[in-house]
Amino acid sequence: MQDPPNPNKNPNPKTNPTPETQNFPHGQGQPFSIRSSCHRRAHSEVHFRLPEDLDLVPDPFEGPSGSSFDELGSEDDLFCTYMDIEKLGSRPDEDPSSLKPDNAVHGSSGGGCGVDLEGEKNVRPRHRYSNSVDGSSIMESIEAKKAMAPDKLAELWTLDPKRAKRIIANRQSAARSKERKARYISELERKVQTLQTEATTLSAQLTLFQRDTTGLSTENTELKLRLHAMEQQAQLRDALNEALKKEVERLKIATGEMMTPKDTYNLGMHHVPYTQSSYFQPQSQPRQVNTQNMQMPQFHLFQSNMPIPHQPMGAASHSHAFQEMLPQDPLGRLQGLDIGSSLCFLHSAPDSHVELHSQEQEVVIALGSNVGDRLSNFNHALQLMKKSGITIIRHGCLYETAPAYVTDQPHFLNSAVRAVTKFGPHELLGVLKKIEKDMGRTDGIRYGPRPIDLDILFYGKFRINSDTLTVPRENMGETICNGPIDGFTGIRC
Ligand SMILES: Nc1ncnc2c1ncn2[C@@H]1O[C@H](COP(=O)(O)OP(=O)(O)OP(=O)(O)O)[C@@H](O)[C@H]1O
Ligand SMILES: Nc1nc2c(c(=O)[nH]1)N=C(CO)CN2
């Protein structure tokens, strides 16, 4: 049989317990007390309390709650105590089960009397045994196991079984404490593990959230930019709306002026009432014709419904030209064009009268342009006509038309104006040719491209056929008769 290890063996001779040192109460600073060394280690390594939420198996040997672990002694002490119990259990003559530690505990609960270790008498303070087997009595157990070998304990069993039982019970209590401590540590380790897992999960989540945040802030920036752009668009649209409203107002005012009865074209000479039909009636007939019943077709700005010779009339053949003609800033074009103030004579004033001097003639002049800024060209031409003594009284609609005769050229913008002038027909032709030249017209191919083309469609009621002039214009009917002139004059060519 192997001898049990001596739990009392102390590697440090200075701390070898003696009966004297054991009598010193704990914590009184005795240099050679075994409790001093144990106590120091207890504070540094085993100083902890079980957390309140830690569900440990209730210990039947547990004393009153509130006993702290630092009363249990050092880890080594507890471990050795446990080992001692094992050793004790292995002794055939000292069966620990026969020692009935439970009974011993109960037996000692009232407080044991001091019995000298190793059989020596030593009176211990009563309080050192009275708390519990897990409390101060543990220290006694530690002292006991350090001082008493198993055989001695067996011997004690015969001499003082009560105390022996108590020692054994203390040792078992220490072992349980150690077990609880191990459980507590493993519980802590488990918690650490759980927390580490949680930390990993949280950190992954954090990464995801950070990515989300980045994505969202990028999206936010894009949305802000879009919003800004939309706001700018809205502002532009508002500005354009405002400008268009003004333009409409201006047009209305202009139209209103023309429609006011007193707004006749006072030419300062004979007041000859005028109607469109006077163009074609014999001189002898009265020139006053009421225009009230004159029906004007509803032409629209830039409407492309002008019939083109040898081409079927239809929007399809001209639709592309309409877009081409409309610039990015149609408003600017309209504003830059004088005739824009009365672009389209959609309605004739019911009772308007034009007063003509007997020497003045009412004329119809066609305008065409397919080079450069066509609207500006029109505007310029009209200004020059006015300056030259051709008084514009009404403006026709603008028409975007496919080129006739010479088709391989840009689309034309066509219109016509009614005017009065003192110029005779050939004088008028000369003035118009000069304006064409002044505006950059050069001798080019017949029916070819040009910044401005001014043709006399009608000269009063006259029919003129000379080398240089044919009135009404011979090809007028083919080109624009069914377009601006039809609506303009109310006649069919
Ligand atoms: N009613 C008219 N209006 C303008 N020019 C006319 C008229 N009748 C005859 N002409 C003559 O036609 C000539 C050619 O006119 P223009 O220079 O404008 O040629 P075009 O533009 O190529 O042809 P068009 O004007 O007949 O389409 C002019 O020099 C002019 O003398
Ligand atoms: N649609 C159209 N075609 C043309 C025009 C014009 O005014 N409109 N003028 C020309 C030159 O005499 C040749 N062709």
Side-chain angles (χ1 to χ4, degrees), residues 6 33 59 106 109 190 220 230 275 329 336 364 378 390:
N6 186 359
S33 166
D59 186 349
H106 296 305
S109 62
R190 193 186 60 76
N220 193 26
M230 285 168 78
T275 69
D329 180 10
V364 178
F378 275 21
I390 302 165

Side-chain angles (χ1 to χ4, degrees), residues 308-365:
I308 300 300
H310 317 301
Q311 288 194 7
M313 177 177 166
S317 60
H318 309 295
S319 57
H320 68 285
F322 178 73
Q323 289 174 351
E324 175 213 63
M325 190 195 68
L326 266 182
Q328 293 293 319
D329 180 10
L331 186 67
R333 288 234 180 173
L334 285 174
Q335 285 174 335
L337 182 66
D338 277 353
I339 64 169
S341 61
S342 53
L343 270 174
C344 209
F345 38 89
L346 297 181
H347 302 284
S348 180
D351 51 357
S352 65
H353 293 73
V354 178
E355 299 173 13
L356 288 176
H357 187 276
S358 58
Q359 292 176 343
E360 283 184 329
Q361 295 295 329
E362 187 171 293
V363 298
V364 178
I365 298 168

Side-chain angles (χ1 to χ4, degrees), residues 306 308 368 401-406 409 412 414 447-448 450 453:
M306 178 178 164
I308 300 300
T401 62
Y405 310 117
V406 176
Q409 60 178 323
F412 276 85
N414 283 115
Y447 305 126
R450 65 211 50 207
D453 187 23

Side-chain angles (χ1 to χ4, degrees), residues 163-443:
R163 188 173 175 225
K165 281 180 188 176
R166 194 168 60 243
I167 289 171
I168 290 167
N170 284 342
R171 290 182 180 182
Q172 286 177 331
S173 174
R176 283 194 300 275
S177 297
K178 184 175 172 61
E179 202 178 319
R180 280 197 302 276
K181 182 180 153 192
R183 279 203 304 273
Y184 177 57
I185 288 169
S186 73
E187 179 66 15
L188 281 180
E189 283 170 350
R190 193 186 60 76
K191 279 192 173 174
V192 167
Q193 189 77 30
T194 309
L195 288 173
Q196 275 174 345
T197 312
E198 268 179 36
T200 311
T201 311
L202 286 173
S203 128
Q205 277 181 350
L206 180 67
T207 311
L208 284 177
F209 284 142
Q210 279 171 343
R211 221 173 282 165
D212 282 358
T213 309
T214 313
L216 284 173
S217 55
T218 310
E219 200 178 330
N220 193 26
T221 311
E222 281 173 14
L223 285 173
K224 275 183 186 167
L225 283 173
R226 277 175 58 186
L227 182 68
H228 186 62
M230 285 168 78
E231 280 171 353
Q232 280 185 335
Q233 271 187 357
Q235 281 176 1
L236 273 175
R237 209 171 300 138
D238 286 349
L240 189 61
N241 255 350
E242 200 55 38
L244 284 172
K245 270 185 199 164
K246 283 183 183 158
E247 182 65 15
V248 167
E249 268 174 30
R250 198 161 68 88
L251 288 170
K252 278 181 180 169
I253 289 167
T255 309
E257 281 174 1
M258 289 175 69
M259 293 174 72
T260 307
K262 64 183 176 186
D263 289 333
T264 55
Y265 293 93
N266 188 347
L267 302 177
M269 303 296 286
H270 302 291
H271 288 230
V272 182
Y274 147 82
T275 69
Q276 52 90 20
S277 59
S278 65
Y279 274 116
F280 309 101
Q281 286 171 357
Q283 198 83 26
S284 58
Q285 290 186 1
R287 299 185 69 183
Q288 181 176 5
V289 177
N290 198 333
T291 58
Q292 198 166 359
N293 296 322
M294 192 164 73
Q295 293 298 314
M296 297 295 175
Q298 295 292 309
F299 292 115
H300 299 282
L301 282 183
F302 308 111
Q303 187 177 355
S304 184
N305 60 355
M306 178 178 164
I308 300 300
H310 317 301
Q311 288 194 7
M313 177 177 166
S317 60
H318 309 295
S319 57
H320 68 285
F322 178 73
Q323 289 174 351
E324 175 213 63
M325 190 195 68
L326 266 182
Q328 293 293 319
D329 180 10
L331 186 67
R333 288 234 180 173
L334 285 174
Q335 285 174 335
L337 182 66
D338 277 353
I339 64 169
S341 61
S342 53
L343 270 174
C344 209
F345 38 89
L346 297 181
H347 302 284
S348 180
D351 51 357
S352 65
H353 293 73
V354 178
E355 299 173 13
L356 288 176
H357 187 276
S358 58
Q359 292 176 343
E360 283 184 329
Q361 295 295 329
E362 187 171 293
V363 298
V364 178
I365 298 168
L367 296 94
S369 171
N370 74 337
V371 170
D373 187 337
R374 300 171 304 175
L375 275 174
S376 295
N377 293 341
F378 275 21
N379 185 30
H380 192 196
L382 290 172
Q383 283 176 343
L384 293 177
M385 283 161 69
K386 283 176 195 167
K387 275 187 194 164
S388 309
I390 302 165
T391 307
I392 311 298
I393 55 176
R394 295 181 74 181
H395 302 88
C397 292
L398 293 172
Y399 291 87
E400 169 80 359
T401 62
Y405 310 117
V406 176
T407 54
D408 185 21
Q409 60 178 323
H411 278 58
F412 276 85
L413 191 65
N414 283 115
S415 187
V417 292
R418 278 202 301 196
V420 289
T421 182
K422 291 181 189 172
F423 290 126
H426 289 90
E427 278 178 315
L428 180 63
L429 178 67
V431 171
L432 296 179
K433 290 298 151 199
K434 184 174 185 309
I435 292 172
E436 287 180 350
K437 205 171 173 195
D438 289 349
M439 285 184 59
R441 170 85 179 265
T442 53
D443 294 334

Side-chain angles (χ1 to χ4, degrees), residues 111-165:
C113 60
V115 178
D116 285 350
L117 298 175
E118 311 286 354
E120 295 175 27
K121 295 278 181 189
N122 187 11
V123 179
R124 290 175 178 274
R126 187 179 174 87
H127 72 273
R128 291 179 61 85
Y129 307 97
S130 61
N131 285 346
S132 76
V133 292
D134 286 340
S136 62
S137 59
I138 289 295
M139 299 317 299
E140 182 192 30
S141 169
I142 294 164
E143 289 167 10
K145 58 103 176 161
K146 290 199 173 184
M148 190 177 295
D151 52 343
K152 293 281 181 190
L153 186 61
E155 196 179 319
L156 181 63
W157 183 261
T158 54
L159 297 174
D160 188 354
K162 220 176 176 184
R163 188 173 175 225
K165 281 180 188 176

